[in-house]
Amino acid sequence: MNGLLEIKKRILDDIVSSGSYTETEEKRIKYLSKKGEITLLFGQIKDIEPENRKEFGQFVNDLRTEAFDLINSLKEKYSETSAETIDLTLPGKLPGSGSYHPLNMIRDDLKKIFRKMGFSVATGPEVETEYYIFDALNMPSWHPARKTTDSLFLSEGKLLRTETSSVQIRTMEKGKPPFRIIAPGRVYRNEKENATHTAMFSQCEGLYVNRGVSFSELKGTLKEFFKILYGKDTVIRFRPHYFPFTEPSAEVDVSCFKCKGKGCSLCKRSGWLELGGCGMVHPKLLENVGIDSEEFTGFAFGLGIERLAMLKYGVNDIRDFTENDLRFLDQF
Ligand code: FA5
């Protein structure tokens, strides 16, 4: 037994003296592998006198357990601190960073610019009733603009809003003039999709109602907005148009930022890009919400948010905004 105790002390001292993870592993191989010293001690059991065999076997077994535990705890210690397991020359892993969606960025720009001009932000539901989309917007049941082809109807006479103009009515019926609001939000149309049209897109409605509001204020407001958004050299033009809810009405074009009005593929050689509709609020709308149209006048506009973003970021296909392709989104 004395000899065995010496062997035990030598082995355990040798293991404890390991100074690294690699050295500890070498000791495991030296003592506990198939041909390791402790493993080989088991092979000697058969040579021991029968009366001592049990004691010998127990001793070797305990030695193996002790050596095993010791090696494991040393390995644990070295794997936490050892430089061998941490390669300091590897480049660090940067945390993945997200980016804002370009439509969110342009919406934030819109809100910031119009807030500075005194507009507050209003909202309305995307599921609307025919009253807010048609009747209150001066499109009675016989009106051709009420055709169902580009509206998406739901059950119980409800429909997905086709334009944010419904928020004009919802805002005005809630209070008394003056009103000065913008209403950015999603709209839906039963449309064939292409590079400039999608069935789901966003608009930003604008409404200003007060005493003595004139068309020149509408022009000034939009002119200022586009200059802040696209730069001071931006030129806009108004083309006469028809909307049932404004009179007079116009479409607003912005000089193509890409070719500076000379004509290019983006603006289809016209030098202009159509971004929205606008006009003076039709007196019928004011009357529909109980506002005296002799006393108050107003202007309204509706801008396509995707179109604004296409211009700002030079995006040639509107569908890119909703495809969730990270190669596109990572650029912003
Ligand atoms: C309207 O929706 C009117 N409500 C705008 C308005 C508001 C006029 C207030 C007067 C007063 P329009 O259908 O032209 O108008 O759409 C306005 C803008 O939305 C367009 O100029 C365009 O920028 C954008 N737009 C229209 N249809 C689509 C579409 N399918 N995909 C993407 N953008 C669209």
Side-chain angles (χ1 to χ4, degrees):
M1 267 323 268
N2 278 347
L4 280 176
L5 286 173
E6 264 170 40
I7 291 173
K8 177 180 174 178
K9 186 172 180 317
R10 174 176 54 77
I11 291 176
L12 295 181
D13 283 352
D14 188 33
I15 295 173
V16 166
S17 72
S18 312
S20 68
Y21 188 95
T22 314
E23 232 180 280
T24 314
E25 174 61 9
E26 282 165 7
K27 299 287 168 63
R28 186 194 66 77
I29 294 165
K30 186 174 170 188
Y31 296 114
L32 295 174
S33 67
K34 233 178 179 179
K35 290 191 177 154
E37 193 177 336
I38 296 176
T39 315
L40 292 179
L41 281 175
F42 282 102
Q44 291 177 20
I45 291 180
K46 62 181 185 329
D47 305 327
I48 305 290
E49 312 83 70
E51 65 272 22
N52 291 331
R53 245 178 231 167
K54 191 175 172 209
E55 197 184 354
F56 181 85
Q58 186 66 47
F59 181 86
V60 179
N61 215 21
D62 290 348
L63 174 59
R64 184 177 59 178
T65 307
E66 227 172 302
F68 184 81
D69 289 348
L70 189 57
I71 284 168
N72 276 352
S73 70
L74 284 171
K75 276 188 171 178
E76 213 168 284
K77 173 179 148 195
Y78 290 128
S79 67
E80 277 167 16
T81 56
S82 168
E84 289 162 299
T85 56
I86 303 168
D87 183 350
L88 296 175
T89 63
L90 285 173
K93 276 189 196 157
L94 290 174
S97 64
S99 58
Y100 286 105
H101 193 281
L103 293 181
N104 283 340
M105 295 201 292
I106 203 96
R107 224 181 339 250
D108 285 348
D109 284 348
L110 276 164
K111 287 184 193 166
K112 234 181 266 169
I113 297 170
F114 281 116
R115 272 196 180 121
K116 277 193 183 159
M117 294 186 192
F119 288 78
S120 54
V121 177
T123 54
E126 290 177 20
V127 173
E128 268 295 6
T129 61
E130 293 191 34
Y131 173 76
Y132 288 103
I133 289 293
F134 299 127
D135 303 271
L137 288 174
N138 195 27
M139 282 177 265
S141 53
W142 50 264
H143 202 285
R146 206 164 160 146
K147 65 186 185 331
T148 55
T149 45
D150 53 6
S151 306
L152 293 158
F153 283 90
L154 307 166
S155 58
E156 293 161 26
K158 302 243 169 95
L159 71 162
L160 292 174
R161 67 179 178 192
T162 46
E163 52 197 347
T164 44
S165 298
S166 49
V167 187
Q168 287 188 37
I169 304 297
R170 287 189 175 275
T171 302
M172 289 194 286
E173 69 182 10
K174 269 191 246 153
K176 284 193 162 55
F179 301 103
R180 200 186 328 222
I181 58 107
I182 56 159
R186 287 242 169 97
V187 299
Y188 305 84
R189 289 183 191 180
N190 188 9
E191 285 222 38
K192 233 181 171 183
E193 304 207 330
N194 58 33
T196 48
H197 292 79
T198 43
M200 178 185 80
F201 60 101
S202 336
Q203 289 186 332
C204 180
E205 195 76 9
L207 174 73
Y208 177 43
V209 177
N210 207 344
R211 288 185 184 88
V213 176
S214 66
F215 200 93
S216 62
E217 277 173 280
L218 167 63
K219 286 181 83 173
T221 303
L222 289 179
K223 217 173 193 171
E224 187 61 17
F225 164 71
F226 285 118
K227 283 196 171 173
I228 299 172
L229 188 67
Y230 294 131
K232 63 177 171 33
D233 297 330
T234 310
V235 182
I236 63 169
R237 75 172 180 186
F238 291 82
R239 271 183 298 108
H241 196 70
Y242 170 76
F243 294 106
F245 32 88
T246 44
E247 181 58 38
S249 306
E251 277 194 323
V252 57
D253 299 338
V254 174
S255 64
C256 178
F257 75 99
K258 199 172 170 193
C259 62
K260 302 271 181 280
K262 287 191 196 98
C264 69
S265 58
L266 190 66
C267 60
K268 300 196 180 78
R269 314 275 155 217
S270 72
W272 298 95
L273 294 148
E274 183 223 307
L275 293 184
C278 62
M280 297 305 290
V281 178
H282 198 293
K284 278 227 173 109
L285 261 70
L286 299 174
E287 283 151 25
N288 284 343
V289 291
I291 295 172
D292 183 352
S293 60
E294 295 288 323
E295 189 181 352
F296 290 97
T297 51
F299 68 68
F301 55 82
L303 306 170
I305 292 183
E306 283 78 2
R307 301 267 180 94
L308 291 172
M310 286 173 84
L311 269 185
K312 173 116 178 162
Y313 302 118
V315 174
N316 293 324
D317 194 318
I318 194 170
R319 292 166 292 195
D320 287 343
F321 291 123
T322 42
E323 299 221 315
N324 278 338
D325 186 334
L326 284 179
R327 288 168 301 179
F328 171 75
L329 295 173
D330 275 349
Q331 298 173 70
F332 299 94

